[in-house]
Amino acid sequence: MDIVGALGRDPPDRESLPRWVAPLPKRLEDVAFRFAWVIVAINLVGTAFGFWYYRFQFRALPTEMWLFIPDSPGATLLIALALGAWALGRSSDTLAALAFFGNVKLGLWTPYVLVVFWPEFLAVNGPALYAFLFFSHLAMVVQAFVLHRITDFPLKAVAVATAWYTVDLLMDYFVPVIGEVTHTSLPYADSAPWFTTTVLQVAAAGAVALTVIPLFWTLGTRIATLRGRESDAGSSSQ
């Protein structure tokens, strides 16, 4: 039985990129692609758990706004689709860009709010679920950094991802079209004071910053990839 064929594919070529845009060891990236279907399955299980976790928000908010509620499950679904499409030989730059944005943004935002609001999060979720949420979201960030192997983040794909996560940001914190804002439930009231501001503003500040960061990384990857190719082309022509 061809284990690699059943669980993934031989890894795609790796561009020569600086460590700050491709921080994972090549060997670890290779394992991810050889076991792509395992990673897809893990992310689909995480997506199902995430939808269950958001069940109370689905009940509380209008159906028309449901698309904007499950942020982390949406991100894990996107990377499952991106890796699955690659494994089937149908890579999508747009899916990969959306997955990168989502897994970096939500993979960092959730630990951020878990730490900032830790007393009540810990009390509500208990130590085991708290630790699971913290480390599973950091794992989302790690897996995002294999995606440069299946896309060079063309501007059109980055523009789609930027547009979607900007709209999602507005719905989550600033401009709900119907009903209330759709951000992940926090263990304190949105208007509760927090140092010199409010709980909502602290959560929103993190979300804004973490929408800009993946944009910077995708464009940085794009520029570094094109420079590397130009350098390789120049070397081969000499």
Side-chain angles (χ1 to χ4, degrees):
M1 179 179 178
D2 181 5
I3 297 297
V4 173
L7 299 180
R9 287 173 53 197
D10 288 328
D13 293 336
R14 191 180 198 271
E15 303 270 4
S16 179
L17 295 173
R19 181 61 61 85
W20 65 272
V21 295
L24 300 182
K26 179 180 182 296
R27 186 174 299 177
L28 182 59
E29 294 178 358
D30 288 348
V31 169
F33 289 106
R34 289 193 173 101
F35 292 89
W37 288 116
V38 176
I39 296 176
V40 168
I42 291 170
N43 278 279
L44 290 177
V45 171
T47 299
F49 171 80
F51 276 90
W52 174 83
Y53 188 85
Y54 281 91
R55 64 194 185 282
F56 298 114
Q57 282 188 259
F58 283 123
R59 293 173 188 171
L61 293 173
T63 306
E64 294 85 353
M65 302 300 290
W66 281 8
L67 183 62
F68 303 103
I69 296 173
D71 292 329
S72 293
T76 53
L77 177 60
L78 284 167
I79 199 164
L81 292 173
L83 290 174
W86 170 81
L88 294 172
R90 300 179 179 179
S91 291
S92 167
D93 291 319
T94 300
L95 271 178
L98 285 164
F100 185 87
F101 266 70
N103 280 265
V104 171
K105 176 179 178 176
L106 282 311
L108 291 175
W109 181 86
T110 300
Y112 162 72
V113 293
L114 285 172
V115 170
V116 172
F117 305 125
W118 72 268
E120 194 63 21
F121 263 124
L122 186 60
V124 170
N125 293 304
L129 182 55
Y130 182 93
F132 170 76
L133 292 172
F134 187 90
F135 289 108
S136 64
H137 281 81
L138 291 181
M140 290 169 60
V141 183
V142 174
Q143 68 179 359
F145 283 99
V146 308
L147 293 172
H148 70 89
R149 296 278 290 269
I150 62 174
T151 183
D152 56 6
F153 295 115
L155 293 182
K156 182 178 179 180
V158 173
V160 170
T162 303
W164 165 248
Y165 278 100
T166 299
V167 171
D168 183 63
L169 179 69
L170 293 173
M171 297 300 105
D172 276 354
Y173 297 98
F174 302 106
V175 191
V177 175
I178 301 172
E180 300 176 355
V181 289
T182 58
H183 65 80
T184 301
S185 293
L186 299 169
Y188 301 95
D190 285 353
S191 58
W194 202 264
F195 292 98
T196 60
T197 182
T198 66
V199 165
L200 178 64
Q201 289 174 320
V202 170
V208 170
L210 292 169
T211 302
V212 174
I213 287 172
L215 173 60
F216 169 80
W217 253 322
T218 51
L219 293 179
T221 302
R222 176 72 177 171
I223 292 168
T225 300
L226 293 179
R227 284 177 176 172
R229 290 174 183 173
E230 288 177 2
S231 177
D232 291 343
S235 299
S236 61
S237 65
Q238 292 178 357

